[in-house]
Amino acid sequence: MCGIVGYIGNKQVVPILLDGLQKLEYRGYDSAGIAVLLDGKIERRRIEGKIAGLKEKMAKEPINGFMGIGHTRWATHGRPTEENAHPHIDCKNEIVLVHNGIIENYFTLRQELIELGHKFVSDTDTEVLAHLIEENNKSGNFLEAVVKSLKEAEGSYALAIVLDKTPDKLYAARLGSPLVIGIGEGEYYIASDVLAILNYTKKVIFLEDGEIAEVSKEGFHIYTIADLSRVNKKAQLITWDPITAEKSGYRHFMLKEIYEQPRVIEENIKGRLSKDKEEVYLDFPDLPDKELEGIKKVLIIACGTSYHAGLVGKFILEKILRISVEVDIGSEFRYRDPIIDKNTLLIAISQSGETADTIAAVKEAQKSNAKIISICNVLDSSITRLSHGVIYTHAGPEVGVASTKAFTAQLTALYLLALYLGKLRKSISKIELIELIDELLKLPKKVEAILENDKDIIKCSKTYFKYKNFLYLGRGINYPIALEGALKLKEISYLHAEGYPAGEMKHGPIALIDENMPIVAIVPHGQVYDKMVSNLREVQARQGVIVAVGYKNDEIVKEMSDYFFTIPETIDFLTPILTIIPLQLLAYHVALKLGVDIDQPRNLAKSVTVE
Ligand code: F6R
């Protein structure tokens, strides 16, 4: 969490920093600040709250300058006040820095520095770094001072640092938090995420963990933090279009991203299937077919919405591969002494590729020599680098904090992976493969049809936004969709919503049901349809209010429901990609009625890079 940005070049730096921060605001929006170096003097502006507030402050108290750094914060240590806002400075206002990550030994370092006479003005872990570098800079070689300090600091960081005495240089370092250098003409950018600099350049270098860069207008040098040896890296071209990072006329990014799903699903399928529908093309250069054929167990690791995609993945992979699949939440997996070995395939699912708990779990699995495939959206992100193979989800930048298009893209990737492995391991017949591919290809149009039919959903949101508690019920492959639907509602509307396997209702939650607790039921036809209908009868018998998602021609469920959202028919196995769409829209329209901040819900950040 937290977003950092930096610039050095011939342009006025403030608009570039503000623009970059605006793009990074999804990473945290508790406070914001920038620092600019001009005529050897560091000027800072900071505020509590969002970038809009910082823009206002900059308009009232402008600064000129051609190099500087900026930060948008998701508070970890210290309340979200102006004093705790980055950039942070040393005692003499000579060193200024912005930080994304956590300095775990900050308390000890802070005590030592206080004893040496340093004065602290914030409660943050980050301020320790400014004073530590100041302390170590007595030799006069700034790069060495920064490196020495980073070796003393424990934890994670992406840093951008400015020293008043070297106005021609900007320093950037990375350990555990992402950092990218953007290459322009006689100008360079630093950012947590390419989104921040996409308007200016698509040519980038991704810093690796343990690297530090010294950047000037003329170019940059990258060194290892371990021994300051030079590192040569090749620039990469980013294919994302800056327009996809804009709202394009939609009221919110979340809505735009919901409506992008037909295209995203299509792009994920396109190019990965042969015309005769007999082949799935996935490329895992470091995972020879022989190794994938020998897999005995699959373990899926993810957090939040990606975890819900993983739960659907269990159904998909077990059905096609007929091998056992476990699904774990990143933060749980690493502390439970899991049983994995070289015959385990670990699938890490992450939109950002930077979720700290998922990264830690992947590193844990590495120790047991598991084969690792990741399903990620962000190019060259940390998780992709830890993997033997990657399926990129090609969803484009997802800016809304609540994940929507990344989820359906992850589901699509899981279907493709299951079909690919199924063919390789001969657990699926040619006819089955063709049939499934045929249905998969029809999904984009079906999602489009649901999106065009949002009138009932809007009407329903107008009825139910006043309710405080919701129970989402699903069974089988749609049980994870109940969890995901409930998560969408709670995270953006702050209403209480629980996802539950419908069959479990009578073991406890049924006690909650009355006319004040809407039940959102996912009931497409399939293996568990009759069971779901029986569960809904139990709700009906207790005067429960029913909102259902099901097939158009389903008169039974329609008649039982207060609101009925229809989806086009598909095979049972593929329904989650369709059933989630009305639930995303329902959450969006309820939140809209409540007038809350849909794209940036309170207390959240898009990418959770701390444990
Ligand atoms: C919910 C949401 C989060 C993320 C979770 C994992 O809408 O976005 O629950 O899914 O933080 O993030 P990634 O997928 O980036 O690892």
Side-chain angles (χ1 to χ4, degrees), residues 303-306 350-352 355 401-403 487-488 491 608:
C303 300
T305 288
S306 300
S350 174
Q351 186 283 130
S352 62
T355 298
V401 165
S403 191
L487 176 63
K488 287 291 86 81
E491 70 183 325
V608 185

Side-chain angles (χ1 to χ4, degrees), residues 98 256 266 348 503 574 611:
V98 286
K256 174 185 168 237
E266 189 161 357
L574 293 178
E611 282 182 45

Side-chain angles (χ1 to χ4, degrees), residues 89-102:
I89 51 167
D90 66 331
C91 297
K92 297 190 229 94
N93 199 20
E94 291 175 351
I95 298 162
V96 66
L97 55 84
V98 286
H99 170 218
N100 167 28
I102 291 185

Side-chain angles (χ1 to χ4, degrees), residues 65 560 590:
M560 292 166 80
V590 167

